Amino acid sequence: MPELPEVESVRIGLAGHVLGRTIEGVCVYRPYSIRHTPGGAEEFQDELMGATFAEVARRGKFLWFILDAPEGTGRALALVVHLGMSGQLRVHSDTESGPGSHTRVRLTLGGASPMILDFVDQRTFGYMTVDELVLTTDGGPGGVGTQLPALPARAAHIARDLTDPLLDLAATAERMKSRRSPVKAVLLDQGMAAGVGNIYADEALWRARINGGTRADRIALPRLIALLEAGREVMTEALAQGGTSFDALYVNVNGESGYFSRSLNVYGRAGDPCPRCGEPIRREAFANRSSHFCPRCQRRK
DNA sequence: AGGTCGACCTTAGTGC
DNA sequence: TGCACTAA
DNA sequence: GTCGACC
């Protein structure tokens, strides 16, 4: 499941291939995948045809391509992508090949050597849409990959990345402390700090030795700050490793490869000994999803 | 206000 | 082999 | 992964 490190890997990979290219073809195989576009496939095509990719930016799990419209119609637009649970963006140059069975949208990009950008999404929870850019409330850059103090309207409620130096950890910890919900839920709240998903939330909690079910307001401020720092560390390390599993012409998110199989301490390791104390890692249901933790290092308080 | 649950959708894997 | 259920 | 409904 793509979280901040995975989406950032995709962003970096894409930047190297699509910047400066113009969209010459738009194929929507699955209208549901562009469901957030009010005018449907027709509007989606109209707004994209002829547009050029000026920048590729990201905030949390949102990715967007800032468009240079052919006839500057005033409003700044971006092609927004959210990968959901299983989305992938793939770039390749064989314009002859047909779309795979899970390809939902295909864009043909012009240039010296034309290329294809496929949005592949098995489960379909992800989506693509064209959205208007709105100014950031703090005046800072809208996301990683752009200097513009703007981001897509539909991502405006997302906080700055947990890994963003501009995010004030102490202030964020204070906000967390005002919540009575389980700290894991607060960590997953994209309006608090963006980019943390189920996997990295479990990893951060394990590193900080905090039980995710503990009410946030019952945790001392320094521990909340430590939790945020732990999250920042895991995601930074994951990004460093995630970069290695992608090669030039194949840009994707593969939930099983690289970082996943090796470096995770608790996620997907139910029954395995805790790397710190040897106690078997436990897996429990939490808010309709699974949580992994060490019952010894992460006692409920 | 918080917490739990189901919905959204597709498919690969597991077990009887 | 296939259906039912689950995890992702 | 995310949203909205209901207790």
Side-chain angles (χ1 to χ4, degrees), chain A residues 17-18 21 89-100 103 106-109 113-120 248-251:
Chain A
H17 295 292
V18 309
R21 288 184 183 268
L89 283 172
R90 294 181 173 184
V91 180
H92 62 270
S93 53
D94 60 67
T95 48
E96 303 302 297
S97 73
T103 302
R106 166 169 286 191
L107 302 183
T108 304
L109 310 178
S113 54
M115 47 176 25
I116 286 185
L117 173 59
D118 277 336
F119 174 53
V120 179
L249 283 184
Y250 185 75
V251 185

Side-chain angles (χ1 to χ4, degrees), chain A residues 13-210:
Chain A
L14 286 168
H17 295 292
V18 309
L19 291 185
R21 288 184 183 268
T22 298
I23 302 173
E24 294 179 347
V26 178
C27 261
V28 177
Y29 304 107
R30 182 68 72 106
Y32 184 75
S33 294
I34 58 154
R35 60 193 174 286
H36 295 295
T37 309
E42 199 182 318
E43 179 183 308
F44 187 72
Q45 286 179 354
D46 288 350
E47 294 186 303
L48 290 180
M49 283 295 267
T52 299
F53 288 133
E55 292 187 299
V56 190
R58 179 196 59 74
R59 181 164 185 146
K61 302 163 194 167
F62 275 89
L63 189 64
W64 66 93
F65 302 78
I66 294 173
L67 305 175
D68 262 345
E71 355 131 20
T73 43
R75 32 178 233 157
L77 297 179
L79 167 61
V80 179
V81 184
H82 195 292
L83 301 174
M85 294 278 269
S86 54
Q88 302 181 337
L89 283 172
R90 294 181 173 184
V91 180
H92 62 270
S93 53
D94 60 67
T95 48
E96 303 302 297
S97 73
S101 62
H102 297 151
T103 302
R104 310 309 187 191
V105 177
R106 166 169 286 191
L107 302 183
T108 304
L109 310 178
S113 54
M115 47 176 25
I116 286 185
L117 173 59
D118 277 336
F119 174 53
V120 179
D121 187 17
Q122 180 189 112
R123 294 187 67 184
T124 279
F125 288 154
Y127 58 85
M128 272 188 155
T129 191
V130 176
D131 197 12
E132 203 161 334
L133 293 175
V134 298
L135 296 178
T136 53
T137 49
D138 60 8
V144 173
T146 182
Q147 293 300 312
L148 275 186
L151 75 170
R154 70 182 311 98
H157 64 292
I158 304 294
R160 304 208 78 95
D161 290 349
L162 177 54
T163 51
D164 187 338
L166 289 187
L167 181 81
D168 184 337
L169 286 196
T172 304
E174 294 269 16
R175 290 180 62 210
M176 291 178 76
K177 186 130 180 75
S178 72
R179 304 276 224 96
R180 304 178 190 194
S181 346
V183 68
K184 179 168 176 183
V186 180
L187 201 52
L188 289 171
D189 183 343
Q190 304 297 298
M192 200 61 76
V196 186
N198 202 36
I199 298 171
Y200 297 112
D202 281 357
E203 294 297 316
L205 287 162
W206 179 82
R207 290 195 180 205
R209 304 180 190 232
I210 293 173

